[in-house]
Amino acid sequence: SGACTIEMTVTPSQATPSKPGVVFSFGNDEGEDVAILQSAAGLALRLSNAKPLALFAVDAGKPVHVVITCTSKTWTAYRDGKSVRSGAMPSSPAWKPREIVLGATWGGAELWRGRIEGVALFPRALTADEVAAETAASQAILDQRSPAHLVRFRGTLVRQAPTSALEAIRPYSRSLTAAEYKVDKVLDGEWAAPTITVLHWMIMDNKRLPIADRKPGATVELTVEPLEEHPQLESSRRDELETDDDVDLFYCESELPR
């Protein structure tokens, strides 16, 4: 159609990352038509690989509803339903059939850390009233959501379930693996048991992650949340430990390097 609208709710893990990261990209090996980035200055828009155009600052851990509308001649950026920046297209995007990638470029560069949800694409430029309606619908979902009960702790790996081979999990392209930790110190939240069982992503995008080969005795600092508070993971494939059926499972939200 020669026009588009990109919509999403973005929650950055950092307000001022040390390196720019790509939140959303539409590209492939032949090129990139549009990308939304985050740098130390905030979000930016990159069109046809031109110099990024600054949009607005963002806060760590705070969701922001982002809408970008593009026509053949102009672009407009909306923050939480309000127009904040607009300008002329630096060049006419090719808008060829490409791939949608979240959290990096098509080639896996410019990695970004944070949460992305409520992604929607339209083959036209939404009006200001339509953008406001999309924002209201997104906010209604957030208003109904209760914060997860997190536990942050320092611990020592006791045992870890074997992570299946890539060939064994197909057609899945990612998989969780359970690990049991001795809780050395609770840093935030409440947890009284001596051990805790946590699910980690150990295969992502058909790649086995280094964490899949971590050995007992490794020390960690994790922020975890109850698995039951992450219903989006119910259909995810997992490798589990042999343990009691009533053990509480947690999902690894983040890990600090040690």
Side-chain angles (χ1 to χ4, degrees):
S1 68
C4 73
T5 295
I6 305 166
E7 175 191 0
M8 66 189 67
T9 297
V10 176
T11 306
S13 63
Q14 307 172 72
T16 56
S18 58
K19 296 180 179 180
V22 170
V23 183
F24 171 96
S25 174
F26 182 64
N28 56 15
D29 290 335
E30 298 177 352
E32 177 189 81
D33 285 334
V34 59
I36 300 172
L37 303 85
Q38 184 194 0
S39 67
L43 294 186
L45 178 66
R46 186 166 66 199
L47 294 162
S48 300
N49 290 311
K51 181 179 179 181
L53 304 162
L55 299 180
F56 51 81
V58 290
D59 299 319
K62 184 177 180 180
V64 57
H65 188 248
V66 181
V67 174
I68 307 293
T69 64
C70 297
T71 69
S72 60
K73 297 181 179 180
T74 62
W75 61 268
T76 303
Y78 295 83
R79 174 178 183 165
D80 292 331
K82 296 181 180 180
S83 173
V84 290
R85 291 293 304 274
S86 62
M89 298 290 282
S91 62
S92 179
W95 300 126
K96 294 182 178 180
R98 303 194 194 274
E99 302 291 336
I100 296 168
V101 185
L102 303 177
T105 63
W106 165 250
E110 298 178 272
L111 298 177
W112 178 81
R113 291 184 62 84
R115 293 188 177 191
I116 308 168
E117 60 183 302
V119 180
L121 302 174
F122 302 83
R124 61 185 179 86
L126 296 186
T127 66
D129 287 344
E130 289 173 326
V131 170
E134 292 295 308
T135 299
S138 174
Q139 187 60 49
I141 294 174
L142 294 178
D143 290 343
Q144 296 173 2
R145 182 179 300 164
S146 299
H149 297 84
L150 67 83
V151 178
R152 185 165 65 91
F153 70 94
R154 292 195 188 103
T156 303
L157 179 62
V158 176
R159 59 186 181 131
Q160 185 167 291
T163 296
S164 298
L166 297 177
E167 296 78 11
I169 74 168
R170 291 190 175 118
Y172 291 94
S173 62
R174 61 181 185 171
S175 181
L176 295 156
T177 300
E180 181 182 356
Y181 298 93
K182 179 172 73 72
V183 178
D184 299 321
K185 184 177 181 180
V186 175
L187 303 174
D188 196 4
E190 297 181 359
W191 185 254
T195 62
I196 190 168
T197 301
V198 179
L199 289 169
H200 296 265
W201 287 114
M202 302 226 185
I203 295 177
M204 288 292 287
D205 297 330
N206 289 310
K207 294 180 181 179
R208 182 186 180 91
L209 304 182
I211 188 178
D213 300 310
R214 190 151 53 184
K215 303 300 182 184
T219 57
V220 299
E221 183 174 324
L222 304 179
T223 299
V224 302
E225 298 173 349
L227 182 65
E228 64 183 13
E229 296 182 12
H230 284 271
Q232 77 278 9
L233 299 176
E234 289 180 359
S235 61
S236 298
R237 190 199 174 280
R238 68 179 75 162
D239 290 308
E240 298 182 339
L241 289 164
E242 292 185 7
T243 185
D244 296 334
D245 292 337
D246 60 350
V247 67
D248 292 325
L249 293 177
F250 285 77
Y251 168 68
C252 181
E253 173 62 26
S254 64
E255 176 174 356
L256 290 179
R258 295 183 63 81

